[in-house]
Amino acid sequence: MTGRQRLRRLVVSLVVWWMLIALILWLLGTMLGQPASLAQCTASSAFFVAVGEVGDWLRRRRRRRAGRPSGIAARHQPPDVKAPTTDP
């Protein structure tokens, strides 16, 4: 995957999350009788997405500095487990 494709995927992902959170906030406000404009909900959701992305970036950076692998494989296999061998 090229850098341009990765950037495009990131931007699309952020925009989808941003709009989804804005819609949920708007619907919740309307259902609870405290409606806010869609612009206000969009601004709030942009803040939530930004905070979430900064938190994710800090988590990945901390793991990288600690020298531990990140991702699903790292969570499912303890570091001291040895691979099974066919030796008796």
Side-chain angles (χ1 to χ4, degrees):
M1 181 182 307
T2 66
R4 221 174 246 255
Q5 289 172 331
R6 190 174 299 133
L7 180 63
R8 186 174 297 145
R9 180 180 283 178
L10 176 66
V11 168
V12 168
S13 173
L14 290 176
V15 168
V16 167
W17 272 115
W18 179 37
M19 288 294 131
L20 184 64
I21 293 171
L23 183 62
I24 289 170
L25 287 174
W26 182 74
L27 288 173
L28 279 174
T30 302
M31 287 182 351
L32 296 175
Q34 299 178 355
S37 71
L38 196 54
Q40 292 169 327
C41 293
T42 302
S44 295
S45 68
F47 174 74
F48 290 144
V49 169
V51 168
E53 286 299 314
V54 167
D56 185 49
W57 177 78
L58 287 172
R59 179 189 56 84
R60 284 185 278 127
R61 183 175 176 187
R62 187 174 59 229
R63 280 197 176 182
R64 218 176 309 129
R65 281 192 172 191
R68 291 180 289 160
S70 62
I72 293 173
R75 285 182 257 152
H76 290 290
Q77 184 177 8
D80 58 345
V81 172
K82 295 181 181 177
T85 63
T86 57
D87 296 333

